């Protein structure tokens, strides 16, 4: 009886543990383009959850909640969710929210008029007239302008990227964005990848940023022009955290 009582006491004291680590169900930017929502599944036995931002040296406390979601307004490149029970602590997988980034040059493919920027989990220059590519940004060599692929759906498809000058604060869509923009050296531009419902800033959309690093004009012929760009493409839809 004594051994049974000790076993019963051990089982009761061992309660309050968690069945698994927190599992993230959704990460999405808010409608203001500057905030981030994180959702996770309900975890049996959890008393509370804490969200931390990850920097290069430490964890930064963001908030503690009993809900299974959090609204984040402080930009971090990575985030973690901790779940707490009376005798257990579990940690989620790392949530990477940092944007994709590349420093690329655009130039003529053969004697073509267009050069493109393609995205397949990385940013790279491409020939937009190659059917295997899906450019989301086109550079017109003759006129030094960036245009949306949707300007010529027969040739480049329906992908719609819109542009606006980017000054001190990111211009959140939809107001004032255009399907093309002329560029000069040192311009900073905002991109709206309007891949959801056309004209609405919704959960299917992504944001980006372009800095025109320099333009090499050569002899001003189409084949000699080369443009150097720094490009950021949001990893999370609707989020404008560009580090």
């Amino acid at each position: 009886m004594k051994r049974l009582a000790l076993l019963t006491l051990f089982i009761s004291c061992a309660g309050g543990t968690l069945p698994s680590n927190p599992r993230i169900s959704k990460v999405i930017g808010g409608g203001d383009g500057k905030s981030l929502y994180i959702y996770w599944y309900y975890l049996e036995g959890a008393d509370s959850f804490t969200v931390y931002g990850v920097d290069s040296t430490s964890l930064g406390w963001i908030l503690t909640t009993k809900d299974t979601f959090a609204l984040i307004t402080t930009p971090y490149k990575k985030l973690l969710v901790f779940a707490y029970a009376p005798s257990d602590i579990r940690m989620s997988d790392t949530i990477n929210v940092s944007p994709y980034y590349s420093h690329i040059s655009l130039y003529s493919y053969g004697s073509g008029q267009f050069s493109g920027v393609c995205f397949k989990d990385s940013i790279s220059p491409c020939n937009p007239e190659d059917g295997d590519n899906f450019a989301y940004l086109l550079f017109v060599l003759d006129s030094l302008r960036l245009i949306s692929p949707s300007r010529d759906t027969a040739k480049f498809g329906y992908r719609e990227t819109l542009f606006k000058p980017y000054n001190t604060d990111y211009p959140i869509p939809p107001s004032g964005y255009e399907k093309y923009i002329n560029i000069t050296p040192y311009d900073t531009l905002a991109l709206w990848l309007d891949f959801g419902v056309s004209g609405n800033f919704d959960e299917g959309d992504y944001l980006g940023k372009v800095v025109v690093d320099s333009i090499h004009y050569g002899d001003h012929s189409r084949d000699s022009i080369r443009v150097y760009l720094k490009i950021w493409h949001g990893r999370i839809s609707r989020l404008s955290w560009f580090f």
Side-chain angles (χ1 to χ4, degrees), residues 8-56:
T8 301
L9 178 62
F10 173 79
I11 292 173
S12 63
C13 290
T17 59
L18 299 168
S20 68
N21 293 340
R23 292 177 53 213
I24 306 302
S25 59
K26 186 177 183 180
V27 181
I28 192 166
D32 61 356
K34 302 173 184 179
S35 56
L36 181 71
Y37 283 94
I38 301 175
Y39 298 85
W40 53 89
Y41 293 107
Y42 174 74
L43 201 56
E44 186 71 37
D47 288 340
S48 64
F49 302 91
T50 298
V51 181
Y52 290 93
V54 182
D55 60 28
S56 58

Side-chain angles (χ1 to χ4, degrees), residues 18 26 35 51 63 70 79 89 91 122 126 131 133 156-157 159-160 164 172 187 221 224:
L18 299 168
K26 186 177 183 180
S35 56
V51 181
L63 61 85
L79 300 161
I89 302 174
M91 179 180 70
S122 64
C126 62
N133 292 320
F156 304 118
R159 207 173 272 267
E160 184 152 283
K164 189 173 183 178
I172 302 305
D187 284 347
S221 66
S224 68

Side-chain angles (χ1 to χ4, degrees), residues 81-198:
V81 176
F82 282 75
Y84 295 89
S87 57
D88 202 1
I89 302 174
R90 300 290 186 98
M91 179 180 70
S92 72
D93 291 336
T94 301
I95 306 164
N96 186 2
V97 300
S98 61
Y100 298 96
Y101 168 77
S102 186
H103 192 184
I104 67 175
S105 62
L106 298 180
Y107 50 87
S108 172
Y109 280 88
S111 296
Q113 181 182 2
F114 297 97
S115 185
V117 177
C118 287
F119 179 77
K120 294 179 180 177
D121 294 327
S122 64
I123 302 169
S124 61
C126 62
N127 179 358
E129 298 187 51
D130 180 349
D132 292 332
N133 292 320
F134 299 95
Y136 66 82
L137 182 155
L138 302 178
F139 171 56
V140 185
L141 299 164
D142 290 348
S143 57
L144 292 178
R145 71 172 42 174
L146 300 177
I147 68 171
S148 172
S150 63
R151 292 266 297 191
D152 189 345
T153 57
K155 185 178 290 186
F156 304 118
Y158 292 89
R159 207 173 272 267
E160 184 152 283
T161 300
L162 307 177
F163 308 91
K164 189 173 183 178
Y166 181 164
N167 298 314
T168 57
D169 197 15
Y170 198 94
I172 302 305
S175 176
Y177 278 81
E178 303 289 344
K179 290 190 177 183
Y180 69 89
I181 192 166
N182 295 324
I183 62 171
T184 59
Y186 315 119
D187 284 347
T188 301
L189 312 172
L191 304 180
W192 172 19
L193 287 77
D194 188 13
F195 297 163
V197 178
S198 180

